[in-house]
Amino acid sequence: MFRKLKWKLVRFNMALLSLVFAAIFAVTAALMIVSNQRQTDFMLDRAFHMQNGRREPPLMGVISVRQNIFGELEILSMPPDISTELVEEAAGIAAQSDGERGEFTMDGYIFAYARQEDRSRIVLLDQTNQRTFLRNTLLILLCVSALSLLLLFALSVLFANRTVKPVRDTFERQKNFVADASHELKTPLAILGANLSVVEGNADETVHDQAQWLSAMRVQLDRMSGLVNDMLTLAKLDHEQDGEPLRPLDFSRQLTGCLLSFEAVAFEKEVEIHSYIEDALTVAANPEKLSRLIYILLDNAVKHTPPRGWMEIRLYREKNHAVLRVENSGEEIPAEALPHVFDRFYRADSARTRETGGYGLGLAIAKAIVEEVHGKIRADSGNGRTVFTAALPLVNL
């Protein structure tokens, strides 16, 4: 499908470019021909209206001939590189022609002529070199146009590939998103169905007696609710395109408040937290989304930090950005997985992520939030540590 789309774009571009080049070539050729004709007419008129009866100063390429009362041809002026015999023959052809102006070819020469009605005065202009120059120029222009079209064809294929690639990637992500979402929902629904069958099979028992099955159903409902909410959040970020107005927020204060809620979780896991927060860093953002971004990065770090590990949270100014850096010790993210950590439903370690209750959507949401405010986010991992860095544009109050 996308291959057909690519070549359809290429064909459309080449058809449009070919029409443009053909129009340019046609207009250029017409202008050159008209210009050459006007120059020819000017030279003929200039030579034709010189006074008779005296030798005339030669004009470049112009042959001036008159016929005396005895019918003999008298050459008034001629180029030095043309023989008298050739001039007499050309003048004879012009004298016998029907029109008072025209052109003819003779012995490889191209002559334009003008004569009086009584054929007593004839002016010839050698146009061989001009026509050769015009023909060569148009041929060169045609070759340049053809080569340009070949180059543009290659560029069109390149740009078509680059144009189709985001569409193809978006389509693939959408297809994978639907497949992954279906897979994520399939397991909770299966568990709910099984537990519901058990409850229905023990209809005589009380709610208290079946608390185990009902509790398991509640867990799966909560899991599906979280997954659906995350999916709705992503859909909203994708389609609203910052529908809500942004406002200046104290990033430093908001990070400090969010960090307090993680201290208890980190204490239970025996994770040591170090924080370095520069004061009064203001960014333009939605408060709920900014809190969600901080929560996602901190929660991701806590979940993937081993017991008795450490986390380091830094917020500092770098040029015109506020940079949030969340670093944690523990197992590294494989190098081949780093480019995909922000993809939806992607898990570098699926089993480990399921144990921590993740769906593979948190980092995708974080990236969407950062990009909504024209910021950047990246992940690095190595030497027994993992770092997520989010840079948001600062606001000058």
Side-chain angles (χ1 to χ4, degrees):
M1 179 178 69
F2 293 104
R3 182 180 178 86
K4 291 182 179 179
L5 176 62
K6 181 188 77 172
W7 288 112
K8 187 175 181 180
L9 287 174
V10 171
R11 287 194 297 271
F12 175 79
N13 289 337
M14 292 309 300
L16 184 60
L17 290 170
S18 297
L19 287 175
V20 171
F21 271 77
I24 293 174
F25 179 81
V27 171
T28 303
L31 290 175
M32 292 180 69
I33 292 171
V34 170
S35 176
N36 182 75
Q37 187 60 46
R38 286 182 177 179
Q39 184 180 8
T40 299
D41 291 340
F42 171 78
M43 293 294 290
L44 289 174
D45 290 339
R46 183 180 175 188
F48 191 81
H49 291 95
M50 283 185 175
Q51 291 183 0
N52 297 329
R54 64 180 179 83
R55 294 285 176 177
E56 300 167 357
L59 295 175
M60 184 177 297
V62 173
I63 302 171
S64 182
V65 178
R66 70 179 178 182
Q67 192 173 25
N68 58 28
I69 57 175
F70 302 106
E72 298 174 346
L73 293 176
E74 181 183 354
I75 300 174
L76 301 178
S77 65
M78 60 178 286
D81 57 341
I82 297 180
S83 66
T84 304
E85 292 78 8
L86 182 64
V87 171
E88 292 175 349
E89 185 179 355
I93 294 175
Q96 295 173 6
S97 300
D98 295 332
E100 294 181 2
R101 286 178 181 263
E103 63 178 46
F104 59 89
T105 302
M106 185 190 74
D107 297 336
Y109 288 89
I110 301 174
F111 289 103
Y113 70 89
R115 61 177 174 75
Q116 290 181 341
E117 187 175 355
D118 59 1
R119 294 175 172 80
S120 61
R121 180 73 184 281
I122 300 173
V123 175
L124 298 153
L125 178 62
D126 180 9
Q127 284 202 301
T128 306
N129 292 334
Q130 288 88 337
R131 291 297 177 87
T132 302
F133 174 78
L134 179 62
R135 183 174 59 253
N136 291 341
T137 301
L138 292 177
L139 183 60
I140 291 172
L141 182 60
L142 185 61
C143 292
V144 170
S145 300
L147 291 175
S148 299
L149 284 174
L150 288 176
L151 177 60
L152 289 172
F153 173 76
L155 292 175
S156 295
V157 173
L158 175 63
F159 286 125
N161 283 330
R162 299 184 68 173
T163 301
V164 171
K165 185 177 184 301
V167 179
R168 181 175 61 246
D169 292 344
T170 301
F171 179 81
E172 290 297 328
R173 284 197 301 268
Q174 188 72 21
K175 185 171 68 174
N176 292 336
F177 181 77
V178 173
D180 292 336
S182 301
H183 179 74
E184 290 290 340
L185 290 170
K186 182 178 180 180
T187 301
L189 287 173
I191 295 175
L192 282 171
N195 289 339
L196 185 59
S197 297
V198 172
V199 171
E200 290 175 343
N202 300 310
D204 296 335
E205 296 184 7
T206 64
V207 173
H208 178 74
D209 293 333
Q210 302 195 63
Q212 175 184 356
W213 313 112
L214 296 174
S215 176
M217 293 171 67
R218 170 61 62 185
V219 170
Q220 296 305 318
L221 285 171
D222 290 341
R223 179 177 175 81
M224 283 197 300
S225 176
L227 175 59
V228 170
N229 286 334
D230 283 349
M231 291 169 63
L232 289 174
T233 299
L234 275 174
K236 188 177 180 181
L237 288 169
D238 283 343
H239 298 292
E240 278 193 353
Q241 296 294 327
D242 198 12
E244 298 180 3
L246 305 180
R247 65 182 187 183
L249 296 174
D250 190 333
F251 198 176
S252 305
R253 179 179 296 180
Q254 197 142 353
L255 175 60
T256 301
C258 292
L259 191 57
L260 290 174
S261 63
F262 278 88
E263 289 184 351
V265 178
F267 179 79
E268 288 183 3
K269 201 173 178 181
E270 300 181 35
V271 173
E272 187 176 355
I273 297 181
H274 306 281
S275 60
Y276 306 90
I277 302 174
E278 185 175 336
D279 294 331
L281 295 182
T282 305
V283 298
N286 175 282
E288 289 78 16
K289 292 177 182 178
L290 184 60
S291 295
R292 185 72 184 273
L293 168 66
I294 297 170
Y295 175 83
I296 289 171
L297 295 180
L298 294 181
D299 182 63
N300 182 74
V302 169
K303 286 179 178 179
H304 294 92
T305 302
R308 293 177 294 280
W310 55 268
M311 290 172 51
E312 183 177 281
I313 294 90
R314 289 179 175 269
L315 180 64
Y316 57 92
R317 178 192 302 266
E318 187 175 276
K319 296 182 179 179
N320 59 339
H321 285 79
V323 179
L324 172 61
R325 177 186 171 94
V326 180
E327 183 176 357
N328 66 278
S329 63
E331 186 178 351
E332 303 170 9
I333 299 175
E336 64 274 10
L338 277 175
H340 305 288
V341 293
F342 297 106
D343 293 349
R344 300 172 184 187
F345 290 108
Y346 182 80
R347 299 180 178 90
D349 186 344
S350 299
R352 183 182 178 190
T353 307
R354 290 184 187 278
E355 289 175 3
T356 57
Y359 315 105
L361 291 177
L363 292 175
I365 294 174
K367 182 181 179 182
I369 293 172
V370 170
E371 289 181 346
E372 187 181 38
V373 297
H374 310 292
K376 295 181 180 180
I377 188 170
R378 74 172 191 269
D380 302 285
S381 190
N383 300 321
R385 64 183 65 188
T386 299
V387 183
F388 284 88
T389 306
L392 279 65
L394 284 167
V395 175
N396 296 321
L397 299 178

